[in-house]
Amino acid sequence: MKVKVIPVLEDNYMYLVIEEHTREAVAVDVAVPKRLLEIVGREGVSLTTVLTTHHHWDHARGNVELARLWPGLAVLGADERICALTRRLTHGEELRFGAIHVRCLLTPGHTSGHMSYFLWEDECPDPPALFSGDALSVAGCGPRLEGTAQQMYRSLAKTLGILPPETVFCGHEHTLANLEFAQKVEPCNDHVRAKLLWAKKRDEDDVPTVPSTLGEELLYNPFLRVAEESVRKFTGKVAPAEVLEALCRERASFEHAAEPLQPQARALLALQWGLLSTPDRSEPRVDPPWGQVAHPSSPDP
């Protein structure tokens, strides 16, 4: 199993997963279809399926054009709001692409129909991979936009948190800001401090911070550490879902307190969020700025 990391838009990631024996390929979260097809052609693979984590514009907008350019393509996901969906998936359903197994994991919180995908190969030395979309990111998670804090807690702690501590491919490059917030939550956490220094170097070199591993995330991601006394103390809450809810509020405040956007950036975000023109009701919203098998190939330029 070979994973191509494809940076697109402002800070999104698409992925192309290749079964190296059959040369069958599966794409995850197609936002820029022509960019994806360039890499499909370069790799010489047969694209059969798109796995979409959720319906937001920056994760699903490319499905319609890709389906037009690539007839017969299967577009799969858990939410009927996903563009060009050909079949709706259910929690726990398993798919097969050559030697690659896919387990579909419903992870509501960011959206009510968010699906994460756990991929592995039998009798393979390469570790499995989780494609978590916006349910889980490096040192953070996407904002809770739909559903309850209890649902989001179950998604993070009970669905994703119990997976093997292996590779995590997330939907956005929000690592630096996530770690800065994590340091505010746990200023004495050495794992946060070390990861933040690493992320700053990656940022300076303009290199992606994906993938992460679930084992690492449990050491520094506050949204996975709601049972830790230091995180509880920061929020002033005890019950896990209440700790998570307080973290989400604090994370939003932390984002708003950051350096104000320049006018051009504000205008761009306003345009993306449909604030400068009448929104197209057929096109889902873009995700807000906040809310990782084989070792992946280098990101495609």
Side-chain angles (χ1 to χ4, degrees):
M1 181 166 56
K2 177 181 179 181
V3 179
K4 301 290 291 184
V5 179
I6 311 170
V8 292
L9 304 179
E10 181 68 21
D11 57 24
N12 279 72
Y13 287 114
M14 301 189 301
Y15 298 99
L16 185 67
V17 184
I18 300 170
E19 208 277 31
E20 296 194 88
H21 296 295
T22 64
R23 305 302 293 169
E24 182 177 358
V26 178
V28 180
D29 281 357
V30 178
V32 184
K34 290 183 179 178
R35 178 82 180 101
L36 175 71
L37 291 179
E38 288 174 4
I39 297 168
V40 166
R42 186 189 311 164
E43 292 290 324
V45 296
S46 175
L47 179 65
T48 63
T49 305
V50 171
L51 299 175
T52 304
T53 60
H54 61 295
H55 73 284
H56 285 164
W57 169 86
D58 54 335
H59 295 261
R61 72 168 190 173
N63 290 350
V64 172
E65 183 180 3
L66 185 62
R68 179 181 64 81
L69 296 171
W70 206 265
L73 187 72
V75 178
L76 309 180
D79 195 322
E80 61 186 8
R81 294 173 291 182
I82 292 171
C83 300
L85 189 71
T86 60
R87 185 164 72 83
R88 190 171 179 180
L89 300 170
T90 59
H91 177 68
E93 185 173 351
E94 293 198 1
L95 311 171
R96 187 76 179 264
F97 303 99
I100 300 175
H101 299 263
V102 180
R103 182 173 299 138
C104 305
L105 302 171
L106 191 62
T107 46
H110 181 61
T111 68
S112 59
H114 192 292
M115 186 74 86
S116 300
Y117 301 98
F118 182 67
L119 279 66
W120 78 96
E121 290 181 287
D122 293 329
E123 301 178 358
C124 178
D126 297 325
L130 172 68
F131 293 87
S132 59
D134 286 357
L136 178 69
S137 56
V138 182
C141 66
R144 182 175 66 83
L145 302 178
E146 300 174 358
T148 67
Q150 185 64 40
Q151 287 176 315
M152 190 173 191
Y153 168 68
R154 285 199 299 267
S155 294
L156 291 171
K158 306 300 184 182
T159 302
L160 301 182
I162 63 173
L163 292 173
E166 304 291 357
T167 312
V168 179
F169 295 93
C170 62
H172 288 274
E173 184 57 56
H174 290 168
T175 303
L176 196 55
N178 287 344
L179 285 163
E180 289 171 347
F181 175 69
Q183 189 170 59
K184 179 181 178 182
V185 177
E186 295 186 280
C188 296
N189 187 324
D190 291 338
H191 299 290
V192 173
R193 186 179 300 111
K195 190 70 174 182
L196 180 56
L197 290 173
W198 174 86
K200 286 179 177 178
K201 181 63 166 61
R202 302 286 285 190
D203 184 62
E204 291 170 0
D205 295 339
D206 197 25
V207 179
T209 60
V210 297
S212 178
T213 73
L214 195 55
E216 292 175 356
E217 293 299 317
L218 292 168
L219 298 175
Y220 52 66
N221 189 328
F223 296 91
L224 292 177
R225 294 172 55 78
V226 295
E228 298 294 326
E229 181 59 31
S230 53
V231 180
R232 290 179 173 181
K233 182 178 179 180
F234 174 80
T235 63
K237 305 294 182 180
V238 175
E242 292 181 2
V243 175
L244 183 62
E245 179 78 355
L247 283 174
C248 288
R249 289 196 302 268
E250 290 292 334
R251 180 65 177 89
S253 297
F254 182 81
E255 186 77 26
H256 295 153
E259 183 177 351
L261 292 172
Q262 295 301 311
Q264 297 91 334
R266 286 200 302 270
L268 176 60
L269 286 176
L271 179 61
Q272 289 176 331
W273 295 346
L275 300 178
L276 296 187
S277 61
T278 302
D280 179 356
R281 299 302 181 188
S282 67
E283 184 171 88
R285 59 173 288 174
V286 65
D287 291 342
W290 80 274
Q292 296 162 6
V293 182
H295 291 293
S297 305
S298 299
D300 283 273

